[in-house]
Amino acid sequence: MLTFTTKVSFKEYRKLLFSLTYKKPVMRALLGLSLLLILWIVFHYVGLLDLPEPTIYQYITLALIVVIQPAGIFTLIYRNYHSSNHLRETLTMNLNDEAIEITGESFLMKVYWDRMYKIVEHAKWFLIYQNNFSAIIIPKASLTSEQEIELRQILQNVTNVPTTLNKVSRM
């Protein structure tokens, strides 16, 4: 059995969700579109290329992608974090080959591995998804090297759940 304590700060949570959001192909396409719009506007006003003058629609689109969208995402992340006691609490996690048990300041939860949706390892996180939208977040910074190896072994033994773990552990 692996036991450890963790707490996810708002800053860590924000970084995680922004990185997950901007890894999606549609978000990368929107960022590419915004880059093209910026290049269009700059090249037009510098006179490097003979491009048509940008209209108000190009400026609105650029503002939506570069300002409004990230502000909306930030607002959703802020509301989600601050409305959830579970995210803001110090958690004690007990993991074994059968289940994960999480004890917070206001709750106790036990979930069996076969009820999980998927398990994904990122550079700084382990995400154990309960469904497509909700995940148990385990920051690697909360683990010692030995605990990370033990956690990876437990997760590798989970059957019937899609699991994506990194091939090389951190040093």
Side-chain angles (χ1 to χ4, degrees), residues 15-139:
K15 283 182 179 181
L16 171 64
L17 289 187
F18 265 112
S19 72
L20 291 174
T21 300
Y22 283 99
K23 281 184 181 177
K24 295 180 180 179
V26 70
M27 297 303 282
R28 288 182 182 230
L30 284 174
L31 289 176
L33 176 63
S34 68
L35 179 63
L36 290 174
L37 287 171
I38 290 169
L39 290 175
W40 176 3
I41 293 166
V42 168
F43 285 168
H44 171 75
Y45 286 108
V46 173
L48 290 176
L49 296 174
D50 188 27
L51 294 171
E53 183 174 355
T55 64
I56 187 70
Y57 300 111
Q58 282 77 34
Y59 293 108
I60 291 171
T61 302
L62 187 59
L64 287 172
I65 295 171
V66 175
V67 178
I68 304 300
Q69 180 187 39
I73 293 168
F74 176 85
T75 302
L76 288 172
I77 292 169
Y78 183 87
R79 284 184 184 168
N80 191 41
Y81 183 82
H82 290 288
S83 69
S84 171
N85 288 337
H86 297 186
L87 284 172
R88 293 181 287 139
E89 294 180 7
T90 299
L91 307 175
T92 301
M93 297 190 182
N94 297 308
L95 294 87
N96 59 37
D97 290 333
E98 185 179 306
I100 179 171
E101 187 176 298
I102 304 171
T103 306
E105 298 159 12
S106 66
F107 72 98
L108 171 66
M109 177 175 74
K110 183 175 184 177
V111 185
Y112 294 95
W113 292 118
D114 62 351
R115 298 293 182 192
M116 295 300 174
Y117 177 71
K118 70 179 177 179
I119 299 167
V120 180
E121 180 182 2
H122 293 276
K124 296 182 180 182
W125 307 91
F126 287 98
L127 300 177
I128 303 169
Y129 287 87
Q130 297 171 293
N131 57 48
N132 198 27
F133 299 107
S134 174
I136 297 167
I137 301 169
I138 301 175

Side-chain angles (χ1 to χ4, degrees), residues 150-163:
E150 187 177 350
L151 175 57
R152 192 174 281 110
Q153 288 171 343
I154 291 170
L155 296 177
Q156 285 173 338
N157 292 332
V158 174
T159 57
N160 299 324
V161 176
T163 304

